[in-house]
């Protein structure tokens, strides 16, 4: 930050305007911005030669670079960081973007996971990047568990939590299950689960089944184990990560090697989720540009991320957008911020249900 402040103090008004217009032009078009283009944009009338001299000074300071032999310049990573911190104008969330996000909330969603999946899809669609959503841990006490037969080889386990959340999973039940064994399994679990969280129930279930197996027939015992196995890793961050919109990254004009590297990064869900867990330690939108985020440094990508909170103002998850460093930060930052607030309000509202 000291380095940025020093750089900022070295810029006069003319240098700052040239720098700002180069970055804004690059973010809009993705192309290097030349001195002739800037002569038509500057607030004071300057020759192309004068602007070239200013651009050379900015390049010497490490804020601009020349990717080709052309006279055009693009911002460096340091330049982008300084622009984001000191020059960027953050716009209001457009009414159409707000409406698109709010439309994902629906009224009768079967579970938080389904709803967050829709939020992630909407976020990637609006920003033309890949969206990342870290779902909250399921740590509310259990109110009720139920098994529903869908077909001979398919069943549904429904988990109703004390905070109003309803989660369900489709799974393959043990062969030979009957309605009575499903009821018996549900009754056994409900007696055991009352007042306990899912992680507490999982820890104690193995002991209870061993000690009380004589109370259960074999089919019901298998049903208990296979049903709860659907949430085996629910508390782990990589099991709570939803990534949507990878295909949007292919629409960018960046080189394919960079895109392939980013796709490989996005497959490493464990690493991303653990990083987003770290993002939960700070409030507000955070922007990581290029190598500032070691996870995506090889692909030279940017990540805009914001945590979201529950009704008790406790951070329980995060939403973000990843894409090339040429993101429209001024538009994406408020969208990510609004999405995080929306998710927080939605989950808080469910908790009151």
């Amino acid at each position: 930050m000291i380095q940025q402040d020093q750089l900022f103090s070295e810029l006069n008004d003319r240098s700052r305007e040239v720098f700002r217009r180069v970055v804004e032009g690059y973010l809009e078009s993705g192309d290097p911005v030349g001195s002739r283009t800037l002569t038509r944009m500057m607030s004071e009338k300057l020759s192309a030669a004068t602007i070239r001299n200013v651009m050379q000074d900015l390049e010497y300071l490490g804020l601009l670079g020349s990717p080709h032999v052309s006279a055009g310049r693009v911002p460096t990573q340091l330049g982008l960081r300084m622009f984001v911190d000191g020059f960027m104008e953050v716009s209001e969330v457009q009414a159409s973007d707000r409406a698109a996000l709010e439309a994902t909330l629906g009224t009768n969603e079967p579970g938080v996971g389904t709803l967050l999946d829709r939020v992630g899809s909407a976020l990637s669609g609006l920003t033309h990047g890949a969206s990342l959503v870290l779902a909250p841990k399921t740590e509310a006490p259990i109110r009720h568990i139920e098994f529903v037969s869908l077909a001979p080889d398919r069943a549904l386990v429904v988990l109703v939590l004390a905070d109003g959340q309803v989660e369900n999973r489709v799974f393959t039940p043990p062969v030979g299950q009957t309605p009575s064994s499903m009821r018996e399994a549900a009754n056994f679990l409900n007696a055991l689960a009352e007042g306990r969280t899912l992680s507490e129930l999982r820890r104690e279930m193995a002991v209870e089944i061993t000690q009380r197996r004589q109370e259960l027939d074999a089919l019901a015992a298998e049903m208990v184990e296979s049903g709860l196995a659907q949430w085996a890793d629910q508390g782990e961050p990589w099991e709570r990560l939803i990534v949507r919109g990878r295909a949007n990254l292919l629409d960018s004009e960046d080189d394919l090697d960079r895109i392939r590297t980013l796709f490989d990064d996005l497959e490493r869900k464990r690493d991303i989720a653990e990083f987003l867990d770290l993002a939960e330690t700070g409030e507000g939108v955070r922007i990581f540009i290029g190598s500032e985020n070691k996870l995506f440094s090889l692909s030279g990508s940017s990540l805009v991320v914001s945590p979201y909170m529950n009704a008790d103002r406790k951070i329980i998850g995060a939403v973000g957008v990843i894409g090339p460093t040429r993101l429209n930060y001024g538009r994406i930052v408020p969208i990510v911020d609004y999405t995080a607030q929306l998710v927080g309000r939605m989950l808080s509202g469910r908790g009151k249900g």
Side-chain angles (χ1 to χ4, degrees), residues 290-306:
S291 60
E292 293 175 355
N293 171 7
K294 291 178 182 175
L295 179 59
F296 299 115
S297 60
L298 291 177
S299 61
S301 304
S302 285
L303 173 67
V304 180
V305 63
S306 177

Side-chain angles (χ1 to χ4, degrees), residues 8 11-29 31 33-34 37-38 41-44 51 54-55 58 63-64 73-76 79-80 82-90 329:
F8 197 85
L11 303 182
N12 58 28
D13 289 344
R14 177 183 292 175
S15 298
R16 290 176 189 177
E17 185 180 359
V18 169
F19 171 70
R20 178 173 60 81
R21 293 194 182 278
V22 168
V23 179
E24 288 175 345
Y26 169 73
L27 293 180
E28 185 176 338
S29 69
D31 298 323
V33 179
T37 302
L38 291 179
M41 301 166 65
M42 296 291 292
S43 55
E44 63 173 315
I51 291 176
V54 174
M55 292 166 84
L58 292 168
L63 298 175
L64 299 182
R73 301 293 194 283
V74 298
T76 61
L80 281 173
M82 194 163 95
F83 174 80
V84 163
D85 290 345
F87 291 81
M88 181 176 72
E89 295 181 6
V90 176
Y329 297 97

